[in-house]
Amino acid sequence: MRKWAAATMAGTLAIGTLAGCGKEAEKPAGAEGSKQGETTKFSISMRTLAFNYVEKSPDINQDKWVKMVEEKTHTDLDIVLVPHKDFEQKMIQMFATNDIPDVVQGSGGVNGKELGGSVQAGVFQPLDELLQKYGQNLLKKIPKDAWDNVSYKGKIYAIPEWLSNPSRRATWIRQDLLEKAGLPVPKTVDDYMAVMRKFKEMGVENPYMGRENFRYADTFFGAYDVFPYLSMFEKQGDQILPKFMDNENMMKALTTYKTMYDEGLINKEFATINPTKFKETILAGKAGIWTMNANELLQWEQQLKAAVPTAKLAIIPSPTGPDGSGGHYLYGSVSRAYFINKKAPNPEQIVKFFDWMVSDEAEKFFTFGVEGENYSVENGAVKYKAPQTPQEVDEERYRQAFLWMVQDTTYNKGTLSLTEEGKKLIRLYDEVLAKEGRDGISFEPRLEALQKNPDVSPISDQAPPVLLNHMVKMVYGKEPISDWPKAVEEWKAKGGSEVIKEATEKYNKKDGVTESRRK
């Protein structure tokens, strides 16, 4: 296997080297079912996900938790970190140069933009027989729809990390600020505007926390049901159209953001705020309302209290629009997926490694850490030493969400079940998130017209480049919002008309169509 010239991240990010030029130490055998002294070496590329612990690690391959995983699984991992913000670009470079590690982590299914058609090109090996021999725990625990999502022409090509609840993103609010404002929990867009204006009067720097490309800052597109995303097609008349072609509601959503911009309710520089700055600003106590994955609520609250000890976070129903509904886009059934290079010398051992990830031993290790250090057992019950500092929270999040590669990643049931706050968060999934969220018609594999026209192609949570540019300019007042229909015509002229034609034909033939999960 050729070495992959690993991506670099300025200053802080350690990049591993590939198998064959990495670590050499043999690991002692300890786990049941492995031969004494046997160690499996393999390289694996992993997106950093903007996790502080990962991106600030001087060398992730020397991390103590990685070492413990290696010891438990009799492996010698060579983790190649791929920068979160440049993920797709770096992945494309990897495939272009054919420097591919033994295992490649993708974002979801087999047709992801970051994979660049590599599954169809035969870069990876089908896993059905290997899973039958070495991955029975994986086959038992992972739901069928997740396996379907990583299959191509009837063969499984990846091991998926799955998501049992597709409504994951939520609207967060500083509950302490809302109580201080003396206002009720907002419901409609107008209610939200009233709360944000009050927050502004109170001196909150960012009543609504914006972020570049509207990612994790798209709450109000949900209110008007116009998410310009890959899974957001709908039937209008006899055609299948993207929801952003609902010009009336799209202009209402853009007008909402422009009003927020004009009144200083969203940061004037939101279009350049990256994920790191986004989180730092919130944890510094400078934001009132924002979007984030619900499963991270308690960890963020713990970190926020370091700057604002009286801060309290809450998840509230997302703003509703003209149809009385709202919420964020629904995720697919797969959050990360692991593809095995067809040239990897030891695929059976790699499958065993992932099979261990869904074992009881792995669940206990990733959830609670090390007995005697992170938890104790008293009268048969786990007494977990919850992290106290922001750094400890980062470490827990890394262990539970990044390094635990294959799991149901909806939330960490083990730690949440230990506290009343955690049980309350679990109930929020049933009582709030299960009742909101937007979805649409989607196609698998991705429409060919989208694959050959990157400018008109959205991704899971980002608008097509040709539209995103106009959206930002309209909010900044550089273009009139009334020109949105012209932006749509530009999208159609640059390949969008082909997208509509292909989507309509495939829908009528029931070819690769997934219907909306929300009506």
Side-chain angles (χ1 to χ4, degrees):
M1 182 185 69
R2 295 178 61 190
K3 293 180 180 179
W4 173 22
T8 58
M9 292 183 67
T12 57
L13 186 60
I15 302 295
T17 52
L18 297 185
C21 56
K23 301 159 286 183
E24 297 179 352
E26 292 286 316
K27 303 297 181 299
E32 185 177 354
S34 296
K35 295 179 180 178
Q36 187 73 24
E38 182 182 85
T39 298
T40 299
K41 299 179 67 172
F42 66 91
S43 53
I44 176 171
S45 62
M46 296 184 70
R47 187 174 187 167
T48 64
L49 301 174
F51 277 29
N52 281 335
Y53 188 94
V54 178
E55 297 193 343
K56 292 180 179 178
S57 172
D59 184 352
I60 200 69
N61 286 307
Q62 299 304 317
D63 175 72
K64 66 176 185 179
W65 294 104
V66 172
K67 294 292 185 184
M68 282 187 271
V69 169
E70 290 177 330
E71 183 172 343
K72 290 177 179 294
T73 57
H74 310 288
T75 56
D76 183 1
L77 301 177
D78 195 349
I79 300 174
V80 182
L81 295 176
V82 185
H84 181 70
K85 65 183 178 66
D86 300 323
F87 179 62
E88 290 184 355
Q89 177 187 351
K90 297 300 182 184
M91 292 284 282
I92 290 170
Q93 289 176 4
M94 176 183 73
F95 290 117
T97 56
N98 198 29
D99 288 335
I100 304 167
D102 297 319
V103 179
V104 172
Q105 180 237 299
S107 293
V110 299
N111 298 298
K113 190 175 180 180
E114 79 284 358
L115 294 173
S118 54
V119 175
Q120 295 80 353
V123 172
F124 303 108
Q125 55 186 294
L127 303 177
D128 302 75
E129 292 184 10
L130 290 168
L131 288 166
Q132 287 295 333
K133 291 181 179 178
Y134 308 109
Q136 280 297 316
N137 290 320
L138 292 166
L139 292 173
K140 290 175 184 174
K141 289 217 172 181
I142 297 175
K144 180 180 181 301
D145 59 343
W147 287 119
D148 289 345
N149 204 248
V150 294
S151 294
Y152 173 66
K153 291 188 174 180
K155 297 288 186 181
I156 295 172
Y157 275 88
I159 297 168
E161 181 181 53
W162 72 101
L163 193 62
S164 61
N165 185 339
S167 185
R168 187 182 201 189
R169 292 190 184 181
T171 302
W172 296 29
I173 194 169
R174 280 279 302 278
Q175 186 177 352
D176 56 309
L177 295 178
L178 184 64
E179 291 170 354
K180 184 178 179 181
L183 295 174
V185 173
K187 296 180 180 177
T188 66
V189 172
D190 288 342
D191 293 341
Y192 268 81
M193 295 296 288
V195 170
M196 288 188 284
R197 286 171 177 139
K198 185 64 177 179
F199 281 0
K200 185 69 177 178
E201 290 177 16
M202 293 161 54
V204 178
E205 192 171 317
N206 300 278
Y208 181 83
M209 190 61 210
R211 184 170 143 180
E212 61 185 351
N213 300 332
F214 294 100
R215 297 181 92 169
Y216 285 93
D218 53 1
T219 309
F220 296 97
F221 293 114
Y224 292 99
D225 196 14
V226 289
F227 283 125
Y229 300 159
L230 191 61
S231 61
M232 292 293 169
F233 285 87
E234 63 182 353
K235 194 171 190 301
Q236 293 184 21
D238 58 357
Q239 288 186 305
I240 302 301
L241 305 176
K243 288 187 175 183
F244 62 73
M245 290 183 68
D246 177 353
N247 291 336
E248 180 181 351
N249 280 307
M250 189 64 180
M251 288 191 287
K252 288 179 180 177
L254 290 169
T255 299
T256 301
Y257 280 98
K258 187 175 190 307
T259 301
M260 293 160 58
Y261 177 84
D262 290 343
E263 296 186 17
L265 306 180
I266 187 172
N267 194 295
K268 295 289 186 183
E269 306 299 328
F270 82 89
T272 59
I273 293 177
N274 61 34
T276 301
K277 181 69 173 177
F278 176 81
K279 184 173 183 179
E280 288 176 350
T281 303
I282 292 170
L283 297 186
K286 298 179 180 179
I289 298 172
W290 63 91
T291 292
M292 186 38 60
N293 296 334
N295 58 315
E296 302 199 34
L297 179 77
L298 300 183
Q299 291 172 328
W300 280 51
E301 183 176 71
Q302 182 70 29
Q303 291 179 306
L304 174 61
K305 284 180 179 296
V308 187
T310 58
K312 292 188 293 185
L313 297 185
I315 289 173
I316 59 175
S318 298
T320 56
D323 65 354
S325 297
H328 298 85
Y329 90 105
L330 299 184
Y331 277 63
S333 56
V334 176
S335 51
R336 294 188 292 183
Y338 301 88
F339 299 82
I340 300 179
N341 190 331
K342 69 178 182 182
K343 297 179 181 177
N346 42 22
E348 67 285 350
Q349 297 300 326
I350 294 174
V351 171
K352 286 181 180 179
F353 168 82
F354 286 112
D355 197 62
W356 175 81
M357 286 276 167
V358 295
S359 68
D360 291 343
E361 180 192 14
E363 180 175 354
K364 191 171 186 178
F365 169 73
F366 289 116
T367 299
F368 300 118
V370 178
E371 186 173 359
E373 295 183 20
N374 308 103
Y375 73 96
S376 60
V377 179
E378 299 178 16
N379 299 320
V382 170
K383 298 292 184 182
Y384 183 53
K385 182 182 176 183
Q388 300 299 312
T389 68
Q391 293 75 23
E392 289 174 345
V393 172
D394 278 341
E395 184 173 338
E396 180 196 61
R397 183 170 178 249
Y398 155 74
R399 187 187 73 233
Q400 292 183 346
F402 179 87
L403 199 56
W404 193 359
M405 301 174 192
V406 179
Q407 58 169 315
D408 179 358
T409 189
T410 303
Y411 50 73
N412 191 289
K413 187 176 181 179
T415 48
L416 292 183
S417 299
L418 296 176
T419 65
E420 286 304 314
E421 292 81 4
K423 293 175 183 176
K424 180 181 177 182
L425 179 55
I426 291 176
R427 288 196 296 274
L428 277 171
Y429 274 90
D430 297 329
E431 297 171 3
V432 176
L433 296 180
K435 298 177 182 177
E436 68 176 36
R438 298 292 194 177
D439 202 19
I441 297 168
S442 60
F443 298 90
E444 187 71 22
R446 187 179 301 205
L447 298 173
E448 291 181 10
L450 291 174
Q451 295 185 51
K452 70 179 184 181
N453 293 296
D455 279 352
V456 303
S457 180
I459 57 176
S460 61
D461 63 348
Q462 188 171 300
V466 69
L467 292 181
L468 186 59
N469 184 44
H470 289 294
M471 291 163 63
V472 173
K473 286 183 176 179
M474 288 175 181
V475 173
Y476 275 55
K478 303 296 184 183
E479 291 181 7
I481 292 175
S482 58
D483 276 358
W484 178 252
K486 294 180 181 177
V488 172
E489 288 303 313
E490 182 182 346
W491 177 83
K492 291 169 65 177
K494 290 185 174 179
S497 292
E498 294 178 53
V499 173
I500 295 171
K501 181 175 183 293
E502 184 183 354
T504 302
E505 289 175 352
K506 287 204 165 189
Y507 184 83
N508 290 335
K509 294 177 182 176
K510 304 300 180 188
D511 180 7
V513 178
T514 301
E515 294 282 0
S516 174
R517 291 163 289 180
R518 291 277 196 277
K519 298 297 182 184

